[in-house]
Amino acid sequence: MERFRREYARLCAAAGAAPQEAVLRRLREPGGARARLDLTAQSLSLQTCGALGRLLPGAAPFAALALGDCGLSEEEWNSLGMWEEGFSFFCQGLAANNFLQRLDLRNNQINHQGAGELAVALTQNACLQELDLRWNTIGLLGGRALLNCLHRNKTLKRLELAGNNVPGDILKAVEQALDHNQDREAILSEAQNQVYILNKEVLNLKDEKNKQFLDLMDTVDKQKEEKAKSERLQMTEAALALSEQKVHNLGELLNAMKQEQTSVAECHFRELQQQKQESADREGKLLHDLSAASEKNLLLRNQVDELERKCKVQQDQLFQVKQDLANTTAELKLRAVQAEERLEMEKRRFKQSLEDMESLRVKEVDHMTQHIEASERSMQDRIQRLETIRISLEEELSQVKAAALAERGQAEEELIKARSQARLEEQQRLEHLKEKLRLMTESRDEAQNCCLKQKEMVAEAQAKAKQLSLHADGLRRRLEELQQDLNSKEEEKVTEVNKVKVELQEQIGHLEAERTAQDGLREKIAALERQLKALSNNHREALLDKEGEISLLLEKLRMKEAEISRVREEEAQRASFLQNAIMAYVQGPPFGTQSSRK
């Protein structure tokens, strides 16, 4: 730790800045310095960030590094990710580090560019297991970059992305990738434990066999020594017996030397023959014992050779089993990755088709609503003009033809104004449509809310159309009343009133034409609603098909997992059978007891 502190001070001095006291104080702490460096809520300078990034590859003996709520200065709090150069140095150091296991970068305003650099660093890092990126500004692009890096990084087990505006599907994909990494780590650890256990059992068996062989050799040596001692004892006993017999015979010979000379000679001759026979018998016994001992040694050597050969065969079988397990796991992983890629492609295609259909439907609904609004405005303008004309007719019916001509001129001017106003409104509508199209391209994510709003607007338009039809009926009634009033007036003004009636009938014809247009619009709206229902039904059927395919893929994955479990059980059974056979062989009656019994 002292070396790390000296390197940090040297790099800060080389950058032209003094080392921060908060960092030095954390490095001087005796307890948590070796396993964890906690710089949470510290105002880190640019030079400190650069120094940490350069020291991470080699001189950083930390298993955990906490940088949550860190900032570049007191003015820029929680903005470690805003300094691109320092953060890039930090990511380069993280990529080359082989000791750090936990990293805390919460609430540092890391954007999608910083997330991309982190993803590149994670593809090269092979020791980091936990990464906390909560409450940053990673977004959609950063989430995709982190998801892509997880396809290469197989050591990261935990990744926190809450509060980063990352879509739900990307979060689910990240969780699936982390689950795959955890499963892979669990399978590797289980395989390593089994291999370690089998190696220990093989070593124990070898040690036990060596001990048995040494015990057998010791028993053979002891048997040889005992046989040599027994032979010596027998020889000494025989010599003692002979000496006693000789002494006895000599005493007898001394007592009756003269009388029994012939008998003594015969006895000596007989004794010599007996000694020769006994010596020949002893030599035969010794040769028989030596041949039996040599045969036993050969049998023991053959048994040792068979045991060594069996150990080699078992080692070969274990190696073959390991290779089979590795091949099956690799194939299953490839199949799982391919299935996930297919699912992602199908999801993207389905989302793209949904977005296209929704955009088309929104455009058609916007066009219809705009047309309905234009018709409503024109109807309101015309109704207002009719009301003004009616008021002027009531006021000026008492006047002469000049007033009627003036009114006609006013009506023509109003028509011209209405046409110009309609043209201006159409231009404004076109500009508004262009603006709406641009906004709709920028707000694809809010398509569902827009659809709901457009449905409400269509309902309102239908209600307004109904109100307009009712208002048109009222206008018709008023026109009929006006015609009755005009017929009851003087005969001199009949011609002028007829002219006004003709104009009013023309306007009524226009109103009826607009009403028919509104009916056509209603029919189009109904047709669009039917199309929407058909599209929704098609989408539901497509979703059901996709769910069926997903269920089939899940069933296939379950089958593969069942096969893997079955293979594991078979391997475990084989290992147990081998272990039982070895234990039965080891626990059998030793050779020393059999030889002793013989």
Side-chain angles (χ1 to χ4, degrees), residues 337-347 553 556:
V337 169
Q338 289 176 359
E340 289 176 357
E341 290 178 354
R342 289 177 183 172
L343 285 173
E344 289 178 358
M345 290 294 291
E346 291 294 332
K347 286 180 181 178
L553 291 172
K556 289 180 181 179

Side-chain angles (χ1 to χ4, degrees), residues 225-254:
E225 290 177 357
E226 288 177 356
K227 287 179 181 179
K229 288 180 180 179
S230 63
E231 288 175 357
R232 289 175 184 174
L233 286 172
Q234 288 176 1
M235 289 177 71
T236 53
E237 288 177 355
L240 286 171
L242 289 171
S243 63
E244 288 177 355
Q245 192 174 3
K246 285 179 181 180
V247 168
H248 182 69
N249 292 325
L250 287 172
E252 290 179 352
L253 289 170
L254 287 172

Side-chain angles (χ1 to χ4, degrees), residues 325-518:
L325 283 172
N327 293 325
T328 53
T329 52
E331 289 178 357
L332 289 172
K333 287 176 183 177
L334 288 172
R335 291 177 182 175
V337 169
Q338 289 176 359
E340 289 176 357
E341 290 178 354
R342 289 177 183 172
L343 285 173
E344 289 178 358
M345 290 294 291
E346 291 294 332
K347 286 180 181 178
R348 289 174 184 171
R349 290 176 183 173
F350 184 64
K351 287 180 181 178
Q352 188 66 32
S353 63
L354 281 176
E355 290 175 357
D356 295 335
M357 294 300 293
E358 285 177 359
S359 62
L360 289 172
R361 185 174 59 79
V362 167
K363 287 178 182 180
E364 290 177 357
V365 173
D366 289 334
H367 182 69
M368 294 300 296
T369 51
Q370 289 169 5
H371 189 68
I372 289 167
E373 288 175 358
S375 64
E376 286 176 0
R377 289 174 185 174
S378 62
M379 287 292 291
Q380 288 177 0
D381 294 334
R382 289 175 183 176
I383 288 164
Q384 289 176 0
R385 286 197 296 273
L386 288 171
E387 287 179 356
T388 54
I389 291 167
R390 182 178 59 79
I391 292 166
S392 64
L393 286 172
E394 288 178 354
E395 290 177 354
E396 294 178 359
L397 281 173
S398 61
Q399 296 178 1
V400 208
K401 294 179 183 180
L405 293 171
E407 286 177 358
R408 185 180 292 173
Q410 288 179 359
E412 289 177 355
E413 289 177 356
E414 287 177 356
L415 286 171
I416 293 166
K417 288 179 181 179
R419 288 176 182 174
S420 62
Q421 189 175 0
R423 289 176 182 174
L424 292 172
E425 287 177 356
E426 286 179 356
Q427 291 178 357
Q428 291 177 359
R429 286 169 198 158
L430 288 172
E431 292 176 355
H432 188 63
L433 281 171
K434 290 179 181 178
E435 186 67 17
K436 276 188 176 180
L437 286 172
R438 187 178 62 81
L439 291 171
M440 287 303 292
T441 54
E442 294 176 353
S443 63
R444 288 179 181 175
D445 296 333
E446 299 176 355
Q448 294 179 354
N449 294 324
C450 290
C451 288
L452 295 173
K453 289 179 181 179
Q454 290 299 327
K455 286 180 181 179
E456 292 175 357
M457 289 173 70
V458 168
E460 291 175 359
Q462 289 178 355
K464 288 180 181 179
K466 290 179 181 179
Q467 291 177 1
L468 287 172
S469 63
L470 294 172
H471 194 64
D473 293 332
L475 288 174
R476 284 180 183 177
R477 295 190 193 95
R478 289 178 185 177
L479 287 171
E480 289 175 358
E481 291 174 358
L482 288 172
Q483 286 176 1
Q484 290 176 2
D485 292 331
L486 288 172
N487 289 323
S488 65
K489 288 183 179 181
E490 295 179 354
E491 295 177 355
E492 296 176 352
K493 299 175 181 178
V494 172
T495 56
E496 295 175 356
V497 172
N498 289 326
K499 291 179 181 179
V500 172
K501 283 182 180 180
V502 169
E503 291 176 356
L504 290 172
Q505 286 177 358
E506 289 177 356
Q507 291 177 359
I508 290 166
H510 288 298
L511 289 172
E512 289 177 353
E514 289 175 357
R515 185 179 177 183
T516 55
Q518 288 180 359

